[in-house]
Amino acid sequence: MTRAPAQRYSVDVVRRPDDGDWTAAVLAAIERPGAAPIGLASISSVHWADGGTIDIDRVAAALRPQRAMLLVDATHAAGVMKIDVRTLDPDFLVFPTYKWLLGPYGRAFLYIAKRRQDGVPLEQTSYGRRAINSEQKNYYRDVEFVLGARRFDMGERDHFISLEMASVGMEMMAQWGCEAIQQRLRMLTTRLADGLRDAGVTAPDASVRAPHILSLQFPFSMPEQLIHRLAAEHVYVAPRIGRMRISPHVYNDEDDVDRFVATFRRLACAS
């Protein structure tokens, strides 16, 4: 967005649709008659605020005739939703480990298609170059970028503690499998939605929301201090652009859901 004016391109933001169907809204923006050619679509496959899902396969297919690049922010998808870059073929796909992969802060992974691996990395590191070595007499022996995606590695990439933590979390989630994790979390969010059905809030329909996130919308606005009052009773949820995002994970159970519903009803009604 900051580079758009200088480089003479525009940024088109897709607004949240009233029916919560992000896929239809994104496809409509891509296929809008008279729209300028698309250079890049930057999309969160699961919306960070309302938990809405986007059918990335359909979006990728709509972008191909325009030869547009596809960048997928899989922050709220990796670990729960199935992702196969071989079939999806995005240009870029990125995700951190601290969300659904049970990993640490400060560690994220970036997939870059081979056709994009000759780009300029955000960070300029010595190991991103072919031959910069402090142990050699000629320090700047070859400053050309290394071939392949390793040129995009972050600074201080060899942080052994966080690498091991990220590895353990991802291996554990892969062993359990996306299908089992989705089934478990869908049960919990469905139980939440059922328990809050007449509690004065609404949630996106199950057909357009991710199985692991439930976002509550209030008829006027979220009661003041409700998030803090819930936290005071050890019930932790996130305020997100006027909504309340509830994101249970595999360490939560039915008792947690029932306690949330009871606490929410008591505090929200008293607000």
Side-chain angles (χ1 to χ4, degrees), residues 31 85 106 108 125 192 254:
E31 299 165 355
V85 295
T125 63
L192 277 167
E254 293 86 340

Side-chain angles (χ1 to χ4, degrees), residues 150-223:
R150 296 310 299 263
R151 68 173 64 183
F152 299 98
D153 278 348
M154 63 176 285
E156 298 296 337
R157 66 182 181 187
D158 299 326
H159 191 261
F160 304 113
I161 294 175
S162 68
L163 279 171
E164 178 69 8
M165 293 168 66
S167 175
V168 170
M170 289 190 290
E171 289 169 357
M172 185 165 57
M173 299 293 282
Q175 183 179 6
W176 291 338
C178 287
E179 185 175 345
I181 295 170
Q182 282 189 36
Q183 183 178 357
R184 173 66 180 171
L185 299 184
R186 182 179 290 108
M187 181 275 294
L188 293 178
T189 54
T190 300
R191 189 182 182 99
L192 277 167
D194 291 343
L196 298 170
R197 196 171 301 281
D198 58 348
V201 290
T202 58
D205 187 78
S207 63
V208 295
R209 72 173 187 251
H212 52 303
I213 298 174
L214 188 71
S215 177
L216 304 182
Q217 184 171 12
F218 295 79
F220 300 105
S221 62
M222 189 186 307

Side-chain angles (χ1 to χ4, degrees), residues 40-117:
L40 167 70
S42 176
I43 297 173
S44 296
S45 51
V46 174
H47 195 280
W48 58 275
D50 65 15
T53 57
I54 293 181
D55 189 332
I56 294 295
D57 291 312
R58 292 177 61 192
V59 170
L63 291 169
R64 287 188 189 108
Q66 301 198 36
R67 299 191 176 186
M69 291 186 290
L70 173 61
L71 187 158
V72 179
D73 175 359
T75 296
H76 284 284
V80 179
M81 314 295 283
K82 184 178 179 180
I83 300 172
D84 187 347
V85 295
R86 290 169 298 186
T87 57
L88 178 60
D89 192 28
D91 294 274
F92 312 94
L93 187 143
V94 62
F95 60 87
T97 63
Y98 76 97
K99 284 291 184 183
W100 299 93
L101 290 163
L102 304 179
Y105 280 94
R107 181 60 63 183
F109 291 87
L110 172 67
Y111 167 84
I112 301 177
K114 288 187 181 296
R115 60 184 175 274
R116 302 297 179 189
Q117 291 180 8

